[in-house]
Amino acid sequence: MTPRNGLVLLVCVAASILESTVPFLFHLKAARADLLLSVVLYLALNDEVVQGAALSLAAGYLSDLTSATPPCLYTFLAVLTFVVIRLAGSAIKTDGGPQSAAVAFAASLIHSSLAAVLFYFVAPGSEGLVLQFVPLFWSALGTAIAAPAVFSVLRRLDKALVPVSDATLVR
């Protein structure tokens, strides 16, 4: 494992802790910012395919661990999101800011809707993930607000780990 992969995994652990605890601090019941989805989006737009897919799988697994959903639901969705964004990546290149917020908002709406539909098929009759549009919108908005910060942390991490010889070539 490279140092960068280890640091990205640490960012994922910190993001999963934040996205699990912050809603309880503010007494939010259904809406939460999906910080791990923002990490997956960054990986899809900036990483190599195998490395990014593996880190997305790890982010999805952490999301599975911190949510009360059937195993592998978010793992599957994280890798699927990585693949879809990776395929559409040339059309949505972003370095952060408003572009990353817009991509995160749209991806969160689709990701949460698909999670609710898959949850319904995996655990019918359960009251887990229910497709409700108001909490879905607020969650997507929270993800969009948090995405530039997550992109900034990961971009700084990448810049700090670029060797000096590669940094002169980038200019």
Side-chain angles (χ1 to χ4, degrees), residues 33-102:
D34 196 347
L35 301 177
L36 289 170
L37 177 63
S38 298
V39 172
V40 170
L41 294 174
Y42 180 84
L43 294 170
L45 294 170
N46 295 297
D47 273 23
E48 296 295 323
V49 175
V50 174
Q51 176 182 346
L55 289 170
S56 295
L57 183 121
Y61 182 70
L62 282 171
S63 192
D64 276 334
L65 291 177
T66 59
S67 63
T69 58
C72 298
L73 177 71
Y74 284 118
T75 305
F76 169 73
L77 286 174
V79 175
L80 179 66
T81 301
F82 175 85
V83 169
V84 169
I85 296 296
R86 182 74 183 183
L87 290 174
S90 62
I92 54 173
K93 280 291 182 189
T94 177
D95 290 326
Q99 299 96 350
S100 66

Side-chain angles (χ1 to χ4, degrees), residues 135-160:
L136 188 107
F137 173 79
W138 289 114
S139 293
L141 187 62
T143 303
I145 290 169
V150 172
F151 272 55
S152 175
V153 167
L154 291 169
R155 194 176 323 105
R156 287 181 185 183
L157 179 87
D158 283 345
K159 283 184 182 180

